[in-house]
Amino acid sequence: METKQLIEQIKLKKSFLCIGLDVDIDKIPSHLLEETDPVFAFNKAIIDATHHLAVAYKPNIAFYEAYGIKGWQSLKKTIDYINEKYPELFTIADAKRGDIGNTSTMYAKAFFEDLNFDSVTIAPYMGKDSVEPFLAFKNKHTILLALTSNEGAFDFQTKDVEGVPLYQKVLQTSKSYKNSENLMYVVGATKATYLKEIRNIIPESFLLVPGVGAQGGSLDEVCKYGKTQNIGLLINSSRGIIYASKDENFAQKAAGKAKELQQQMAAYL
Ligand SMILES: O=c1ccn([C@@H]2O[C@H](COP(=O)(O)O)[C@@H](O)[C@H]2O)c(=O)[nH]1
């Protein structure tokens, strides 16, 4: 998907909500366990109930890999369902990959060609030749970890490197990569105050912002410091939406939680 289509959807839906499909079989309603593929049944119900309130969906790949072949099949069915029924939705494989170039190319093929995601999250630690194979794909987006939402972000990401914090070095250096127009970045909602500095370096790039809801980040703070003219934000909530209820009406309850966030977002559009 081209960035301009994503921006059109944000304006149309008055939403920059990304719903995280982090499906833990122990947390889904028990009646779904009778289905042939409970994870897909859960995702399908959540997507059908919330697609008008969100512009993006982000399955975290760990939640599928944890169930082996079955998990990968559930992931494939989920992405195929979105691409066929709701092609206007932006899809993110939260996989945090990155390796030597030869291997990164195969990761890129897996997520962009075989699964047909619009974007994938990448760890920047191995540098330019580990990121550029992802950037080579037209109309696909590489979402580089910049400043993550967890406490451990302070172990390395904020440490000084040649006079600037490492996360700022990642932002600056990545701008020189080939096809850098295909870059987006991850910045945690729990680090909202850093967004002012971040916007000085990357004024227009889209940011994937996890950490509202279960991790306690504030949507208003993120918008205050990180919003651009085109919004430039995809704010993710996973557990806070998908586990709103364990009852038969779980999808409607999830839609209620998504609507709360969408209405907050509408005020900025
Ligand atoms: O810095 C980061 C990067 C990725 N994540 C992922 O986002 C979701 C957040 O889930 P919640 O349930 O809304 O807390 C999850 O998949 C994380 O692995 C992140 O939280 N922070």
Side-chain angles (χ1 to χ4, degrees), residues 11-259:
K11 290 182 179 162
L12 190 75
K13 290 181 172 169
K14 294 198 183 312
S15 171
F16 38 103
L17 178 62
C18 171
I19 298 182
L21 298 172
D22 296 357
V23 187
D24 177 343
I25 201 106
D26 295 331
K27 290 189 183 160
I28 69 175
S30 53
H31 73 275
L32 291 179
L33 301 178
E34 290 156 20
E35 300 279 340
T36 336
D37 185 341
V39 172
F40 174 64
F42 179 80
N43 282 347
K44 182 177 175 298
I46 295 281
I47 295 161
D48 286 340
T50 58
H51 67 93
H52 57 297
L53 301 166
V55 293
Y57 285 81
K58 181 179 82 63
N60 188 310
I61 304 308
F63 288 81
Y64 299 85
E65 287 176 329
Y67 303 118
I69 292 171
K70 274 187 174 173
W72 205 258
Q73 284 166 343
S74 306
L75 177 67
K76 173 96 178 113
K77 279 198 244 172
T78 301
I79 183 69
D80 285 351
Y81 185 70
I82 295 175
N83 284 337
E84 275 157 33
K85 189 141 187 225
Y86 307 110
E88 71 280 10
L89 292 167
F90 186 76
T91 54
I92 303 168
D94 193 355
K96 302 184 182 68
R97 300 298 149 105
D99 205 317
I100 60 165
N102 188 45
T103 308
S104 274
T105 298
M106 299 311 270
Y107 277 139
K109 283 185 181 188
F111 291 106
F112 292 154
E113 286 181 349
D114 182 52
L115 289 169
N116 199 14
F117 274 94
D118 291 312
S119 65
V120 61
T121 58
I122 302 299
Y125 198 67
M126 289 180 72
K128 179 180 165 124
D129 55 320
S130 74
V131 179
E132 285 187 340
F134 295 94
L135 293 172
F137 285 73
K138 197 167 182 282
N139 290 335
K140 300 286 183 182
H141 304 266
T142 300
I143 313 184
L144 210 56
L145 300 183
L147 187 58
T148 55
S149 64
N150 59 326
E151 194 55 30
F154 297 112
D155 286 356
F156 304 115
Q157 296 166 25
T158 53
K159 293 284 183 265
D160 189 279
V161 178
E162 295 167 349
V164 292
L166 178 58
Y167 75 91
Q168 291 189 15
K169 197 86 179 160
V170 168
L171 297 172
Q172 271 158 0
T173 305
S174 63
K175 288 206 295 183
S176 69
Y177 292 170
K178 191 168 178 206
N179 301 316
S180 64
E181 68 279 5
N182 294 335
L183 278 170
M184 297 181 177
Y185 299 90
V186 173
V187 177
T190 53
K191 308 285 192 309
T193 52
Y194 292 77
L195 281 164
K196 212 170 162 199
E197 288 292 329
I198 289 170
R199 281 299 181 205
N200 287 336
I201 306 168
I202 42 156
E204 298 300 333
S205 305
F206 258 86
L207 304 179
L208 169 63
V209 185
V212 299
Q215 297 180 53
S218 151
L219 187 145
D220 289 323
E221 288 267 290
V222 171
C223 290
K224 182 175 170 190
Y225 297 110
K227 186 171 69 67
T228 67
Q229 231 180 353
N230 286 321
I231 292 294
L233 301 168
L234 290 172
I235 297 193
N236 179 83
S237 175
S238 307
R239 289 166 290 178
I241 292 178
I242 67 173
Y243 300 130
S245 166
K246 258 193 130 177
D247 298 336
E248 299 249 340
N249 66 351
F250 69 97
Q252 282 63 47
K253 291 280 182 198
K257 290 285 175 196
K259 184 140 189 92

